[in-house]
Amino acid sequence: MTPRFATLPRQKFRQFFQPSRIVLAVIPAHVESGFNVVTLCFNMHCSYKPPMMAIAIQNTNASYEQIQQATQYVLAVPGSSLLEETLHCGIVSSRDADKAKTLRLEFCPSEKIQVPGLVKAQANIELVKRSTVTAGDHLVVIGEVVRFAVNKT
């Protein structure tokens, strides 16, 4: 039997890749709290030695400009304790609000970089930006992981 493959529009095809791991990126920003927190669903491991991860941010977002200026950032893995915050950070732009301040997000110091992690995250991944690639309407950012930290509380 010869397999038949149907052509689908991108939005319908996405169901075959769901659920993807959603992360919150903590990026230095010119807001009162000092950091923007943005919800990202485009992320992946892209190297084991050294450990590296890639994220993608759309070029219409304020986060796009902020990540271009950043040299370090944190990827926080949210759990159920950050459900509402994750939704909010994916909808509201840092052009309109200081999301960390509005949501009263608590930061915790990172060990290897200056950008803090999120207290309520299941894990915080500390990264140093190594390169960027423009991919259509997104910027792919590749960072070297300098610390994987899991919340033990």
Side-chain angles (χ1 to χ4, degrees):
M1 177 175 173
T2 304
R4 290 184 355 164
F5 290 88
T7 301
L8 297 174
R10 181 185 61 84
Q11 289 292 14
K12 289 195 183 271
F13 190 74
R14 285 181 67 182
Q15 72 181 331
F16 295 100
F17 288 112
Q18 301 301 327
S20 60
R21 171 52 91 177
I22 291 174
V23 296
L24 294 168
V26 182
I27 306 168
H30 296 292
V31 294
E32 188 177 334
S33 69
F35 302 97
N36 179 27
V37 180
V38 60
T39 303
L40 300 174
C41 63
F42 292 156
N43 63 85
M44 67 177 203
H45 292 270
C46 58
S47 173
Y48 295 123
K49 293 181 185 180
M52 299 181 96
M53 294 183 72
I55 59 172
I57 297 179
Q58 191 172 19
N59 63 8
T60 58
N61 297 332
S63 307
Y64 175 86
E65 298 153 9
Q66 294 159 353
I67 198 70
Q68 287 181 311
Q69 301 299 316
T71 58
Q72 304 173 340
Y73 55 100
V74 167
L75 296 181
V77 180
S80 58
S81 65
L82 286 170
L83 183 65
E84 294 298 321
E85 294 88 339
T86 300
L87 181 61
H88 182 88
C89 290
I91 296 171
V92 175
S93 171
S94 65
R95 289 185 187 108
D96 302 324
D98 181 343
K99 295 179 270 186
K101 183 180 174 188
T102 301
L103 295 169
R104 296 185 177 131
L105 291 172
E106 293 180 68
F107 293 114
C108 56
S110 292
E111 283 188 11
K112 305 282 186 179
I113 64 173
Q114 298 300 310
V115 178
L118 295 177
V119 168
K120 288 180 163 182
Q122 289 181 338
N124 286 303
I125 305 165
E126 301 172 20
L127 297 106
V128 175
K129 185 172 73 175
R130 295 296 183 217
S131 64
T132 60
V133 177
T134 300
D137 62 354
H138 279 65
L139 183 70
V140 177
V141 181
I142 300 168
E144 182 175 346
V145 178
V146 294
R147 182 171 183 243
F148 291 104
V150 176
N151 191 338
K152 295 300 245 178
T153 55

